[in-house]
Amino acid sequence: MAQPIRVLVAKVGLDGHDRGARVVARTLRDAGMDVIYSGLHRTPEEVVNAAVQEDVDVLGVSLLSGVQMTVFPKIFKLLDEKGVKDMIVVAGGVMPDEDAAALKQMGVHEVMLQDTPPAAIVATLTRLVNERGER
Amino acid sequence: MRDTVDRNVLDPSAVEAVREQERDWEANEVAQFLAKQAERKESFLTLGDFPVKRTYTAADLADTPIDDIGLPGRYPFTRGPYPTMYRSRNWTMRQIAGFGTGEDTNKRFKFLIAQGQTGISTDFDMPTLMGYDSDHPMSEGEVGREGVAIDTLADMEALFEDIDLEKISVSMTINPSAWILLAMYIVLAQQRGYDLNKLSGTIQADILKEYMAQKEYVFPIDPSVRIVRDCITYCAKNMKRYNPINISGYHISEAGSSPLQEAAFALANLIVYVEEVLKTGMQVDEFAPRLAFFFVGQADFFEEIAKFRALRRCYAKIMRERFGAKNPESMRLRFHCQTAAASLTKPQYMVNVMRTTLQALAAVLGGCQSLHTNGYDEAFAIPTEDAMRLALRTQQVIAEESNVTQTTDPLGGSYYVESLTTQYEKRIFDILEDVDARGGTIKLIKEGWFQQQIADFAYETALRKQSGEKALIGVNIMVDDTPDPKIETHAYDQTTADRQIARTQRVRRERDPAKFEELMAQLLEVAKDDSQNIMPITIELVRAGATMGDIIESLKTLWGTYRETPVY
Amino acid sequence: MASVSTYVPSLELVERIANGEISAIARMISRAEAGMPEAREALAEIYQRAGRAHVIGLTGVPGSGKSTMVSALAARLRATGSKVGIVAVDPSSPYSGGSILGDRIRMTDLSQDAGVYIRSMATRGNMGGMARATMDAVDILDVGGFETIIIETVGVGQDEVEIAKAADTTVVVSAPGLGDEIQAIKAGMLEIADVHVVSKCDRSDAHRTLTDLKQMLTLGVKGGKKSEWRVPVVGISSFDGTGFDELMKALEGHRAVALHSEMGRQRRVAIAGFRLTKTAENLLMERFARACAPLTLDFAQRLHRHEGDPYSLAGELVAASFGKE
Ligand SMILES: Nc1nc2c(ncn2[C@@H]2O[C@H](COP(=O)(O)OP(=O)(O)OP(=O)(O)O)[C@@H](O)[C@H]2O)c(=O)[nH]1
Ligand SMILES: [Mg+2]
């Protein structure tokens, strides 16, 4: 039987808007994935530490406070320092289109903004993990 | 005022006659039509899951006492808090604004006032909301981004430069660190020689809904509630026109709750605050007249109107019956309304203007005292000047052109709205009873009870959007592949943090360190003694150049911080 | 932007694990969880090198404060210089097979400390409170230089409690306010404890739980199975730190006894035996599942047509499956 996909759903920074993150966590669990939720107000360091220790397939970061351009470069730098090359990083929340495009340039695999249907999130993560292959 | 015996709109024989008519209509006209074509859906529900009948008649008011409907400005205030409402004065048009430093936001305030806005409302950046100074590591990237950055009194001076605070009311949307901003506001007013009793405005300071919904909290629940209590008692004694709290359903709704949960949970929080203040020996009529509320204007038009009307009725009954208020001022619920940010979409973003218009109209027909209409671009970033101007114009069209303001509570007597109002009232009281039976609001917050109900409705809503059961133009219906016109979003000024931090550090350098240390020591003493009020020492501290972060960090050593158990 | 495959063979990970490299440890645990045949050789190598760490197992009904206690305990152990590995097991949803692994969030205080490694695991249908790869994870962490390894089991509250057959020291946590009986008894966990903990002693009702439990133990309800070791009852509060000095002493004390006594030696043999049979069971299950798959439908149809009874047909199926191999 295939292994459940492991996902860390993370909230970075000071914003407490966790409605989306928690709906996503529940959706992914109900789709048969193993989900770890970071809790609120985490730093990029804490989130990357957790993602690496847990060896998640996917690190999903939800942001609604506009700090994406500060947070994601840090996350990639930290992953790099830890020698992690195959982690799938996705972003969710609210942000301008330019930022979403810039994040994809930076290496974010997918940006799923507010109102992305739950089933689409499941499908996207499953596809990304399949594309990555065995690890 | 109110008769001891409930009298209903119709006497029983008339009710029976109307019901007979209804049955006949169902059997004839309705049946004939249904035979030709079924209705669009099997059952019709409000956004908050109340069943909606084919039509409503006078019989639906059979169990609503006429005194519960009543008249505007009279107990139980279902039809409005004041007798003449918008015939005397329109609601306060209060667009929220805040970004960058005090100077940056001050410019936006002046722009909005020039556009005809009648009140000020301030949004703070995340570090300020959470009590971090701008140069704290947790603040990186967030300074002045989603609101204005305030660390010290000097920032407050810049924020309100050349704005006459005795003339315009100022609302500050802030919670765990609210009392510090109130202290800064007071010192600023004193420096300018204002009479504190002439200041009008509000801090949000509703900490309980933070644990339930918005998750902006610092300290554990007990000391946090004590701070709220201190704000209420301080203002009751020293700032007669100031609202020390805005008990908020808005964020409960934005976190995903139903309109019913929004209403009921906000009132559950009200009850805690009132009880806490009563414990200090203050009488309910000494402070209740300054309690204020903040609710969302959601998409279901009539349901929202019924919600607002039911809230007023419930509040009046709670204050009179549960807390023994005697002064009618203690029983009239006054509220600010903001249209629902969570209802805005990115695709076809101009449609947000229409959504906002309808939500705003429901707020006005529901009798709001002040209103914020969202900008069409808020699903992208914080709003631009253009978006804010159009949002303000939306309110002005309703106020000046639509004539809906000419009579008070124009939907009073609507069979549907009255019936839904009464259903809302009943269900709200059911929930409040349940909360009491389960051991009270604070216990249930710790157990995640409210949070779980909000999460369940949020999850349900996500599934309904996905299935299309909950229609959303541009998202699950009327999806249009032609690209939207390019939108200009508010650009973040990259120099903000440097400018802000420079000022904060200057204030720290220039203050008298001995005085500062002495006051900080006193703060901890006051904080340890639950019977003291924390406001006076905080006022002295900010006057002496203490930063918000100084105060919060030192209290964290005493009280610790709150950590939640998330529910899904 | 699909990434190129960067598969590192498991044997290559072993040295990196021994050097304490976190990403290698983490990846090896994932492969053990997945039961990848490619990883078996590496896991064999790891088992050979493991066996130094003190393995503490924690059990207790849901909500008894295990995770919060692990967090506080790990901080204490860190203060003694010991590196701490934590394996926290949560149940998988019986409906979807997925899970929300909620223990880690209770251990946020440890999130900045490089000397602590936390791994969340879902049971994925395994009964008894642990996941199939829990002990593999313990070995990997052991080789990775973690001197104390804490396993937080699912608070199953059933009598099938595997942890006592896996850990050097088993701690049973009871908490006040979760019902008036002593939960350890209800759950049949009284006998497996090497150390009893009553958590949440900052609460006024904890005293009752504490005295009840002590009374129960002295009343001779079997608690002390081993003569060299008197099972202590320690009251703690993870919020204010009460009782952790005593707890540390109890854990140290038990370890010392276990290392140097006949009782300890027997216990370790029993642990090895359990590990062996468990692993053999899993191997058999895997082989059988693979081998019987093509035959099952046919056998099911025969059973459905009453061409045999469940026992004889199952016997035939087993024989046919393994015979076929
Ligand atoms: N008063 C008090 N409450 C505690 C203490 N330790 C934990 N709790 C509370 O008990 C609840 C459960 O704590 P956890 O640490 O998650 O318990 P657990 O046994 O790990 O729970 P599961 O993993 O779900 O079985 C939480 O609300 C904690 O805040 C303590 O020392 N004192
Ligand atoms: Mg736990």
Side-chain angles (χ1 to χ4, degrees):
Chain A
M1 207 190 83
Q3 287 298 104
I5 293 172
R6 284 172 76 82
V7 186
L8 174 63
V9 176
K11 286 290 304 173
V12 180
L14 295 174
D15 106 78
H17 296 97
D18 58 354
R19 168 184 183 166
R22 287 180 301 116
V23 166
V24 168
R26 182 162 165 178
T27 302
L28 299 182
R29 178 199 57 195
D30 291 351
M33 301 188 193
D34 284 340
V35 184
I36 299 148
Y37 173 52
S38 71
L40 290 169
H41 310 143
R42 309 270 58 99
T43 63
E45 288 78 7
E46 288 175 311
V47 164
V48 170
N49 277 347
V52 174
Q53 290 179 10
E54 299 287 359
D55 194 31
V56 290
D57 297 287
V58 182
L59 167 58
V61 181
S62 156
L63 289 169
L64 287 91
S65 62
V67 288
Q68 53 279 353
M69 301 317 284
T70 316
V71 164
F72 280 97
K74 276 197 189 164
I75 286 179
F76 283 113
K77 183 163 164 283
L78 288 160
L79 283 173
D80 209 44
E81 282 169 17
K82 291 176 192 293
V84 176
K85 296 189 178 63
D86 53 6
M87 194 170 290
I88 296 162
V89 179
V90 299
V94 171
M95 67 182 73
D97 294 337
E98 309 86 84
D99 285 7
L103 290 185
K104 291 190 91 168
Q105 279 295 313
M106 204 183 287
V108 171
H109 289 70
E110 207 62 73
V111 180
M112 288 171 280
L113 298 180
Q114 190 179 303
D115 285 330
T116 307
I121 298 175
V122 172
T124 302
L125 298 196
T126 310
R127 172 177 60 77
L128 289 170
V129 171
N130 288 338
E131 280 171 8
R132 185 208 57 205
E134 196 143 280
R135 53 172 198 164
Chain B
M1 227 175 157
R2 185 187 152 104
D3 292 337
T4 42
V5 181
D6 280 348
R7 288 169 308 169
N8 295 340
V9 177
L10 294 186
D11 66 50
S13 65
V15 170
E16 202 26 65
V18 175
R19 291 220 166 104
E20 180 51 44
Q21 251 186 7
E22 262 186 78
R23 280 192 289 271
D24 186 66
W25 171 74
E26 290 280 350
N28 290 292
E29 286 89 341
V30 173
Q32 284 162 23
F33 259 72
L34 289 182
K36 277 183 248 152
Q37 190 180 12
E39 289 177 331
R40 281 185 290 117
K41 289 192 275 188
E42 206 125 282
S43 62
F44 289 76
L45 297 172
T46 65
L47 184 147
D49 278 347
F50 283 72
V52 182
K53 289 174 52 176
R54 188 162 283 128
T55 196
Y56 288 77
T57 65
D60 292 297
L61 305 188
D63 55 357
T64 302
I66 51 173
D67 293 315
D68 273 358
I69 298 174
L71 286 160
R74 173 178 288 188
Y75 186 90
F77 303 100
T78 309
R79 307 197 57 194
Y82 304 112
T84 57
M85 291 294 285
Y86 310 136
R87 288 169 65 104
S88 299
R89 194 166 75 80
N90 277 322
W91 63 92
T92 304
M93 296 180 193
R94 195 191 292 281
Q95 296 299 95
I96 199 162
F99 57 89
T101 62
E103 286 84 354
D104 301 334
T105 298
N106 180 267
K107 279 193 208 118
R108 177 67 72 91
F109 284 163
K110 287 177 181 160
F111 166 82
L112 286 167
I113 291 168
Q115 298 298 319
Q117 161 159 299
T118 51
I120 284 177
S121 179
T122 322
D123 234 344
F124 298 93
D125 67 0
M126 286 308 313
T128 307
L129 293 173
M130 296 296 289
Y132 290 107
D133 281 343
S134 298
D135 51 0
H136 190 284
M138 283 300 281
S139 305
E140 196 190 335
E142 313 223 28
V143 176
R145 188 182 284 277
E146 296 277 286
V148 58
I150 303 289
D151 298 324
T152 65
L153 178 60
D155 301 328
M156 198 64 125
E157 288 164 358
L159 181 63
F160 293 115
E161 196 176 76
D162 298 329
I163 295 175
D164 187 345
L165 301 178
E166 279 189 354
K167 297 253 161 61
I168 195 158
S169 79
V170 175
S171 161
M172 297 195 273
T173 302
I174 189 151
N175 293 282
S177 48
W179 95 101
I180 303 174
L181 281 195
L182 176 61
M184 291 179 187
Y185 195 73
I186 289 168
V187 175
L188 175 68
Q190 288 169 338
Q191 283 175 357
R192 293 196 190 164
Y194 294 143
D195 177 357
L196 288 187
N197 281 318
K198 283 195 185 146
L199 299 184
S200 69
T202 181
I203 44 175
Q204 193 164 85
D206 171 10
I207 198 68
L208 291 173
K209 65 91 169 60
E210 296 297 337
Y211 300 106
M212 283 181 186
Q214 189 174 233
K215 314 290 175 76
E216 283 162 18
Y217 41 66
V218 178
F219 307 118
I221 299 179
D222 293 344
S224 296
V225 171
R226 177 250 176 120
I227 292 173
V228 175
R229 175 203 75 184
D230 288 354
C231 290
I232 296 175
T233 56
Y234 181 89
C235 289
K237 290 184 188 130
N238 301 290
M239 303 173 80
K240 298 269 178 286
R241 290 185 57 213
Y242 197 82
N243 300 332
I245 189 166
N246 246 259
I247 300 165
S248 304
Y250 182 86
H251 315 87
I252 296 173
S253 169
E254 287 285 299
S257 86
S258 72
L260 174 66
Q261 290 164 345
E262 178 203 5
F265 296 175
L267 292 178
N269 291 340
L270 158 83
I271 289 169
V272 175
Y273 298 131
V274 173
E275 284 172 349
E276 285 304 310
V277 177
L278 291 177
K279 280 185 206 156
T280 67
M282 201 172 246
Q283 300 298 306
V284 66
D285 288 325
E286 290 177 78
F287 64 92
R290 300 302 339 156
L291 300 176
F293 288 81
F294 174 19
F295 297 107
V296 75
Q298 263 288 2
D300 191 313
F301 189 77
F302 292 112
E303 181 176 41
E304 290 303 295
I305 296 166
K307 177 186 84 181
F308 297 132
R309 298 172 88 248
L311 272 161
R312 272 193 299 268
R313 189 188 292 167
C314 290
Y315 178 73
K317 290 184 179 179
I318 291 169
M319 296 312 282
R320 188 160 94 172
E321 288 162 22
R322 183 167 183 146
F323 293 117
K326 303 247 163 16
N327 181 356
E329 297 291 331
S330 306
M331 305 173 207
R332 52 170 134 243
L333 179 147
R334 300 160 304 128
F335 74 98
H336 171 70
C337 182
Q338 177 170 342
T339 55
S343 73
L344 305 182
T345 65
K346 263 181 94 165
Q348 303 181 37
Y349 59 82
M350 283 312 285
V351 177
N352 291 332
V353 178
M354 275 60 95
R355 293 190 177 102
T356 299
T357 306
L358 283 168
Q359 294 165 6
L361 183 59
V364 170
L365 297 180
C368 70
Q369 279 54 64
S370 97
L371 180 60
H372 167 100
T373 32
N374 290 322
Y376 57 79
D377 55 358
E378 288 185 54
F380 295 80
I382 63 170
T384 56
E385 238 172 46
D386 281 344
M388 270 300 103
R389 184 185 309 135
L390 186 56
L392 184 56
R393 294 287 180 259
T394 304
Q395 295 197 37
Q396 290 161 344
V397 168
I398 295 171
E400 307 299 338
E401 298 182 4
S402 75
N403 278 353
V404 298
T405 55
Q406 300 200 100
T407 188
T408 296
D409 189 30
L411 286 164
S414 148
Y415 302 138
Y416 177 36
V417 172
E418 291 295 359
S419 158
L420 199 50
T421 302
T422 298
Q423 286 180 61
Y424 252 83
E425 177 198 352
K426 289 204 173 99
R427 296 278 295 279
I428 289 171
F429 277 120
D430 286 347
I431 293 174
L432 293 177
E433 246 173 57
D434 196 21
V435 167
D436 282 341
R438 289 170 186 273
T441 302
I442 290 183
K443 175 165 176 282
L444 291 181
I445 289 176
K446 289 180 183 165
E447 291 172 8
W449 187 84
F450 298 100
Q451 297 90 314
Q452 186 64 60
Q453 302 201 33
I454 296 168
D456 287 345
F457 198 81
Y459 188 63
E460 194 58 34
T461 303
L463 295 183
R464 286 180 190 178
K465 280 188 198 169
Q466 171 170 292
S467 71
E469 186 187 333
K470 184 181 158 78
L472 212 50
I473 308 269
V475 173
N476 58 20
I477 54 168
M478 313 300 159
V479 179
D480 188 346
D481 290 335
T482 47
D484 290 320
K486 180 147 175 39
I487 189 163
E488 282 304 321
T489 51
H490 176 86
Y492 176 63
D493 176 352
Q494 298 295 339
T495 69
T496 306
D498 289 344
R499 288 187 287 132
Q500 176 61 20
I501 289 170
R503 177 157 57 209
T504 302
Q505 293 182 340
R506 177 174 58 75
V507 171
R508 283 204 204 102
R509 262 195 321 274
E510 289 174 0
R511 71 192 174 198
D512 172 355
K515 174 101 188 277
F516 169 77
E517 291 302 336
E518 185 200 316
L519 290 171
M520 287 297 282
Q522 276 182 40
L523 172 70
L524 285 180
E525 288 314 306
V526 172
K528 273 180 208 152
D529 178 359
D530 176 57
S531 70
Q532 294 199 53
N533 191 309
I534 203 164
M535 281 307 298
I537 181 65
T538 310
I539 291 169
E540 289 322 306
L541 267 166
V542 298
R543 202 195 305 278
T547 67
M548 176 181 276
D550 292 332
I551 295 172
I552 297 272
E553 291 303 325
S554 127
L555 291 173
K556 278 184 191 170
T557 64
L558 177 68
W559 286 332
T561 54
Y562 181 79
R563 204 166 275 161
E564 71 158 359
T565 304
V567 296
Y568 308 93
Chain C
M1 37 169 73
S3 40
V4 282
S5 182
T6 48
Y7 194 91
V8 181
S10 296
L11 275 174
E12 280 177 31
L13 290 177
V14 177
E15 269 333 296
R16 287 165 55 186
I17 291 168
N19 287 331
E21 205 180 300
I22 298 299
S23 58
I25 292 172
R27 181 56 46 87
M28 198 64 212
I29 295 177
S30 302
R31 290 184 185 169
E33 263 197 304
M36 286 170 62
E38 189 272 342
R40 290 228 170 112
E41 211 180 321
L43 285 170
E45 170 70 22
I46 284 167
Y47 185 81
Q48 288 305 323
R49 300 197 198 182
R52 288 167 302 178
H54 182 199
V55 182
I56 300 171
L58 226 73
T59 188
V61 298
S64 52
K66 297 181 293 295
S67 304
T68 315
M69 170 184 161
V70 170
S71 182
L73 178 61
R76 286 292 178 121
L77 289 161
R78 288 292 297 139
T80 69
S82 176
K83 281 176 76 183
V84 183
I86 297 165
V87 183
V89 188
D90 266 323
S92 299
S93 154
Y95 306 106
S96 71
S99 65
I100 293 179
L101 303 167
D103 293 321
R104 187 182 188 99
I105 207 166
R106 295 261 171 236
M107 306 178 191
T108 308
D109 285 342
L110 307 169
S111 62
Q112 313 267 31
D113 184 346
V116 177
Y117 178 101
I118 306 170
R119 179 66 174 228
S120 311
M121 275 190 175
T123 52
R124 302 190 185 163
N126 195 59
M127 306 299 283
M130 295 208 291
R132 264 172 56 174
T134 301
M135 293 316 291
D136 291 325
V138 168
D139 292 340
I140 295 164
L141 287 168
D142 187 337
V143 173
F146 291 87
E147 287 122 326
T148 309
I149 296 163
I150 307 175
I151 304 171
E152 179 189 337
T153 71
V154 179
V156 272
Q158 316 241 323
D159 46 14
E160 194 189 345
V161 183
E162 290 184 349
I163 188 67
K165 300 178 214 151
D168 300 325
T169 305
T170 302
V171 179
V172 174
V173 185
S174 306
L178 295 175
D180 44 9
E181 277 168 86
I182 301 289
Q183 300 119 31
I185 300 177
K186 206 166 153 191
M189 290 189 289
L190 201 58
E191 290 149 38
I192 63 165
D194 299 308
V195 176
H196 274 291
V197 163
V198 171
S199 64
K200 311 188 188 182
C201 282
D202 48 280
R203 291 170 45 144
S204 54
D205 49 350
H207 188 68
R208 185 73 213 283
T209 314
L210 206 56
T211 47
D212 283 1
L213 181 57
K214 281 184 179 160
Q215 207 171 26
M216 210 62 82
L217 289 170
T218 48
L219 274 178
V221 181
K222 271 217 291 59
K225 53 186 166 184
K226 312 112 186 172
S227 47
E228 295 98 326
W229 178 246
R230 233 180 49 85
V231 176
V233 180
V234 185
I236 62 149
S237 163
S238 308
F239 286 3
D240 64 22
T242 304
F244 276 80
D245 289 338
E246 206 188 325
L247 176 62
M248 291 281 284
K249 272 201 211 106
L251 295 172
E252 275 304 306
H254 182 261
R255 185 177 200 211
V257 172
L259 278 179
H260 305 295
S261 68
E262 176 55 22
M263 170 209 93
R265 202 192 58 82
Q266 283 176 16
R267 169 89 166 260
R268 285 194 299 280
V269 174
I271 288 174
F274 177 69
R275 181 89 180 265
L276 195 62
T277 46
K278 226 14 208 189
T279 312
E281 267 174 35
N282 288 336
L283 280 178
L284 274 176
M285 281 298 295
E286 266 171 39
R287 271 172 61 192
F288 176 66
R290 227 178 307 123
C292 79
L295 307 174
T296 315
L297 185 59
D298 184 41
F299 273 74
Q301 275 161 353
R302 285 170 60 195
L303 182 62
H304 171 69
R305 291 194 297 265
H306 284 75
E307 291 173 14
D309 65 282
Y311 297 97
S312 50
L313 283 174
E316 258 184 68
L317 178 63
V318 171
S321 300
F322 287 125
K324 212 176 130 250
E325 240 196 355

